[in-house]
Amino acid sequence: MNTKFKGVPVNLAGKFPKAGTKAPDFKLSRGDLGDFSMDAAKGKRILLNIFPSLDTPVCAVSVRRFNTLAAQMKNTLVLCVSRDLPFAQSRFCAAEGIENAVLLSDFHYGSRFGEDYGVVMTDGPLGGLFARAVIIISPDGKVVYSAMTSDITEEPDYASALAALE
């Protein structure tokens, strides 16, 4: 999978999961520094909203938008994942009234989430952060939808992601 940052190609580490494949397991940090793994969502559909940082306007918009949409989704857990510190994510949620989406951080050294999901940018001005992607995982752990924006500065395709949930 390839993406760009303001039109300039960016390399990624790992393999981006395709529909029909088993979703890689993960362990991420919640705002209270507790762990969150795929097991915590057993029996639910998972929408992963993956992005570089809440400190960018497009990322903040995607979290707000998926938070609003999450209230309408049945048996679906919306997980917003970045490498922002959990403390920053908690402040953002409090300031923005984020109550339906769960923000998770991949700030731990040695975590494999970014590589396992093929979203770690290995170069460019945002090198080390995650590319923008949406992945939907079925209750049985299969990827049913995966899309990465062609440019990090673009919002995800909300309509296609929601259609994949229906």
Side-chain angles (χ1 to χ4, degrees), residues 5 23 26 43 48-49 63 73 75 77 90 96 105 115 120-121 131 137 140-141 143 151 154 166:
F5 178 73
F26 58 80
L48 292 174
N49 174 33
V63 170
M73 298 177 200
N75 197 40
L77 194 55
S90 293
E96 297 288 336
S105 176
E115 289 83 4
V120 177
M121 293 183 278
I137 303 168
D140 65 352
V143 174
D151 196 295
E154 299 170 357
E166 295 177 354

Side-chain angles (χ1 to χ4, degrees), residues 60-118:
V61 166
S62 75
V63 170
R64 285 187 209 107
R65 181 83 185 267
F66 278 122
N67 178 64
T68 300
L69 296 171
Q72 305 161 13
M73 298 177 200
K74 293 183 180 178
N75 197 40
T76 302
L77 194 55
V78 175
L79 306 177
C80 298
V81 183
S82 69
R83 284 195 164 159
D84 290 305
L85 290 175
F87 314 113
Q89 291 177 337
S90 293
R91 278 193 305 274
F92 178 85
C93 287
E96 297 288 336
I98 306 297
E99 298 175 347
N100 303 313
V102 177
L103 273 74
L104 298 172
S105 176
D106 181 43
F107 80 103
H108 282 295
Y109 179 75
S111 173
R112 299 267 326 144
F113 176 86
E115 289 83 4
D116 289 348
Y117 280 84

Side-chain angles (χ1 to χ4, degrees), residues 7 11 21 28-30 33 35 48-49 51 53 56 58 66 86 95 97 99 116 119 124 138 147-148 151 163:
N11 291 304
T21 62
L28 299 165
S29 295
R30 297 186 320 242
L33 299 180
D35 291 337
L48 292 174
N49 174 33
F51 55 90
S53 174
T56 65
V58 176
F66 278 122
E99 298 175 347
D116 289 348
V119 295
S138 68
M148 185 176 296
D151 196 295

Side-chain angles (χ1 to χ4, degrees), residues 16 26-27 36 54 67 91 94 127:
F16 192 65
F26 58 80
K27 185 167 80 171
F36 186 100
L54 288 168
N67 178 64
R91 278 193 305 274

